[in-house]
Amino acid sequence: MSAVIDTHAGEHHHGPARGISRWLLTTNHKDIGTMYLVFSFAMFLLGGTMAMVIRAELFEPGLQIVQPEFFNQMTTMHGLIMVFGAVMPAFVGLANWMLPMMIGAPDMALPRMNNWSFWLLPCAFLILVSTLFMEGGAPNFGWTFYAPLSTTYGPPSTTFFIFAVHIMGISSIMGAINVIATILNLRAPGMTMMKMPLFVWTWLITAFLLIAVMPVLAGVVTMMLMDINFGTSFFDASGGGDPVLFQHVFWFFGHPEVYIMILPAFGAVSHIIPAFSRKPLFGYASMVYAVGAIALLSFVVWAHHMFTVGVPIAGQLFFMYATMLIAVPTGVKVFNWVATMFRGSLTFEAPMLFAVAFVILFTIGGFSGLMLAIAPADFQYHDTYFVVAHFHYVLVPGAIFGIFASAYFWLPKWTGHMYDETLAKTHFWLSFIGMNLAFFPMHFLGLAGMPRRIPDYALQFADFNMVSSIGAFMFGATQLLFLLIVVKCVRGGEAAPAKPWDGAEGLEWTVPSPAPYHTFSTPPEVK
């Protein structure tokens, strides 16, 4: 498949507008993808700074730096910003940049809505972050905002938090509709569903998940809004409501949400590992079915977050077995990635390093997830640092390493320059060591009984907490190196060929680097 030459040089094929209006009014998928990526990295640094406050306070026992009230605001805001501000927009940015190029489309199907769905996000996070400066402070009830902590006892700023969540949800749903419309309608001739790249498949399924669960989140925060301001008692037992109802509705959103944050990473890694193994992906069809199975099962496991609330024993058994079942399609994917690497001609550039670390560390997170799935054992682990260790092993090496792997993999295509490989490998090793130092000791802290979301702790937890904090500072500081690498790459460097990785396959490698402002005006033929 050769690069497509533009034979329709009409007036709409001029380059980008000049100045600020280019970014405010753009409908170009590459510009919007770039804005999502820049926004998500800014949020990543902000959320990371909050994590540094948390780890600085926990560096040694006793209250050092912040008051417990502010500590709770930091844990809440860190979680909310990382989930909704860093991870999700980063994957939407990758989708905006890559999906049209991967399927041979000229742009996203709904370009104006694309612009609108991006610009809602800075507004939402401006509202969310402004709660830090309001009377009574920011949300302080944990990123899961359980009622009645968030309704009866939450700060006055909770209503602003609810408004921000609604705006984020609208942005997500519009983005998801756009992804589905693009993939189903704008594929190049000859690209059947089972010929689509895996990143496209994972995003298609993720988009359906978003449309299914974002209204559930909107529903639960609307019920909170009513309880706070309009005298209803959905979650207030004294008025006939039920606080456990909140958890059921929240986790019915929250568990598929975890997969929304990981499935696009599965897709990206399924491109990177074959490229650097110089082999086709092992078991393409089984990968597609595994992603579908994970997405479907994610709807029937929500109450495994709630084993300790008094779920009937039949319910506990159902959610326990359903949760273990989800390990099967996940195992299929891990097996296929390993089989792809087996006897391949491997090289370890930065994207491959992050991808291999993703597979290994995500698997560790999966194993601790299986431990948490066992209901009687979960009574011991629940609300301890073991849970913090588990979900950070899923989200940091899972989502964040997946994003770094993708960024290094596609950076030459975006900028037209090769990034500095030595610096990128340094970024990888410092991140890898820092991340494991930060989160591995938390398993032991949790098993020894240290509760999560506390600013002070008993003396016997001091050593592991110090190691954890050192690892966290190391991981956090390293991300500034990533910023340097990207800025350096954008500004210049060795020119990138159309296909910088010899094992890479797909339409996006048929266009020149940097990718032209308008990619395919005549769709390519897929043989």
Side-chain angles (χ1 to χ4, degrees):
M1 291 175 291
S2 61
V4 175
I5 296 152
D6 182 2
T7 50
H8 303 278
E11 81 247 284
H12 58 290
H13 285 290
H14 49 260
R18 292 273 167 261
I20 190 85
S21 64
R22 167 180 178 179
W23 302 103
L24 283 174
L25 306 174
T26 182
T27 53
N28 182 283
H29 71 97
K30 300 182 179 78
D31 282 352
I32 294 169
T34 303
M35 293 197 298
Y36 267 112
L37 290 167
V38 170
F39 172 79
S40 79
F41 190 69
M43 288 293 114
F44 180 56
L45 293 182
L46 178 61
T49 308
M50 292 171 176
M52 298 301 99
V53 174
I54 295 167
R55 286 316 318 174
E57 179 54 63
L58 294 173
F59 190 77
E60 54 186 23
L63 290 175
Q64 308 345 299
I65 299 165
V66 294
Q67 290 303 308
E69 181 62 21
F70 187 71
F71 182 88
N72 290 346
Q73 294 175 32
M74 286 292 99
T75 52
T76 304
M77 295 291 276
H78 163 72
L80 290 168
I81 286 171
M82 286 303 201
V83 168
F84 296 108
V87 173
M88 289 170 70
F91 282 129
V92 180
L94 292 171
N96 259 299
W97 248 104
M98 301 314 300
L99 290 183
M101 284 162 62
M102 286 179 157
I103 62 174
D107 205 308
M108 295 295 274
L110 306 158
R112 286 185 183 160
M113 191 162 92
N114 205 8
N115 173 295
W116 177 221
S117 65
F118 170 74
W119 282 110
L120 283 173
L121 277 182
C123 302
F125 281 90
L126 210 58
I127 294 168
L128 183 62
V129 174
S130 70
T131 58
L132 282 163
F133 307 101
M134 291 178 189
E135 195 181 345
N140 58 0
F141 31 69
W143 81 274
T144 52
F145 44 97
Y146 279 4
L149 272 181
S150 55
T151 50
T152 313
Y153 306 105
S157 64
T158 306
T159 304
F160 286 90
F161 150 79
I162 291 170
F163 187 41
V165 169
H166 269 302
I167 299 174
M168 290 170 216
I170 294 166
S171 164
S172 289
I173 289 172
M174 294 203 305
I177 290 169
N178 210 346
V179 165
I180 293 168
T182 305
I183 295 171
L184 295 185
N185 295 313
L186 297 183
R187 298 195 306 282
M191 183 177 282
T192 59
M193 295 292 274
M194 291 311 276
K195 280 187 190 165
M196 294 195 315
L198 251 160
F199 184 68
V200 179
W201 258 116
T202 52
W203 245 112
L204 180 65
I205 291 168
T206 301
F208 278 110
L209 280 179
L210 277 165
I211 288 177
V213 301
M214 277 300 167
V216 180
L217 176 66
V220 83
V221 293
T222 305
M223 289 152 91
M224 282 171 62
L225 188 75
M226 297 294 187
D227 275 12
I228 294 166
N229 297 300
F230 300 106
T232 57
S233 44
F234 289 110
F235 308 127
D236 182 0
S238 65
D242 184 359
V244 176
L245 172 67
F246 178 92
Q247 298 190 30
H248 278 294
V249 183
F250 176 83
W251 285 116
F252 191 75
F253 147 79
H255 201 81
E257 164 65 25
V258 176
Y259 290 98
I260 286 166
M261 291 191 284
I262 200 74
L263 290 182
F266 286 172
V269 165
S270 303
H271 287 264
I272 294 164
I273 287 177
F276 294 96
S277 306
R278 289 158 185 79
K279 274 175 67 186
L281 180 70
F282 181 88
Y284 168 89
S286 63
M287 290 292 252
V288 172
Y289 297 132
V291 179
I294 289 171
L296 288 173
L297 285 169
S298 74
F299 284 103
V300 293
V301 296
W302 77 89
H304 68 209
H305 299 266
M306 302 166 52
F307 283 141
T308 58
V309 305
V311 183
I313 197 87
Q316 290 189 25
L317 283 169
F318 171 81
F319 287 107
M320 180 165 92
Y321 290 131
T323 305
M324 290 182 190
L325 200 58
I326 228 169
V328 177
T330 312
V332 168
K333 303 184 79 60
V334 173
F335 173 81
N336 285 9
W337 289 322
V338 173
T340 304
M341 290 186 268
F342 182 65
R343 291 189 156 169
S345 172
L346 274 71
T347 52
F348 293 97
E349 286 85 349
M352 185 62 162
L353 286 172
F354 275 108
V356 173
F358 165 95
V359 175
I360 296 166
L361 298 176
F362 179 77
T363 305
I364 293 175
F367 280 131
S368 60
L370 275 174
M371 292 170 69
L372 289 161
I374 298 165
D378 185 73
F379 275 71
Q380 296 299 317
Y381 310 137
H382 188 78
D383 260 339
T384 68
Y385 257 81
F386 189 84
V387 179
V388 181
H390 157 69
F391 77 68
H392 282 87
Y393 260 88
V394 173
L395 283 179
V396 179
I400 308 272
F401 278 22
I403 292 162
F404 285 144
S406 312
Y408 285 125
F409 188 53
W410 287 314
L411 205 55
K413 181 58 63 191
W414 299 341
T415 62
H417 306 292
M418 298 304 290
Y419 59 84
D420 185 323
E421 190 64 57
T422 313
L423 282 181
K425 284 182 173 166
T426 310
H427 171 228
F428 167 74
W429 284 111
L430 289 173
S431 293
F432 180 81
I433 295 164
M435 181 258 140
N436 282 294
L437 269 182
F439 301 117
F440 206 79
M442 291 181 185
H443 291 102
F444 304 124
L445 286 169
L447 293 175
M450 178 173 162
R452 63 200 265 204
R453 297 180 183 161
I454 49 156
D456 188 13
Y457 52 84
L459 211 52
Q460 69 264 31
F461 303 130
D463 295 347
F464 278 138
N465 267 302
M466 185 176 282
V467 173
S468 220
S469 288
I470 291 167
F473 294 138
M474 180 175 168
F475 181 75
T478 305
Q479 304 325 313
L480 297 171
L481 179 61
F482 177 68
L483 181 63
L484 172 77
I485 294 165
V486 173
V487 169
K488 195 176 159 200
C489 179
V490 170
R491 293 183 65 174
E494 181 197 336
K499 189 168 151 182
W501 320 114
D502 35 324
E505 292 296 332
L507 288 176
E508 71 268 37
W509 306 110
T510 63
V511 301
S513 302
Y517 195 65
H518 294 283
T519 322
F520 298 108
S521 52
T522 356
E525 282 281 339
V526 177
K527 296 285 185 286

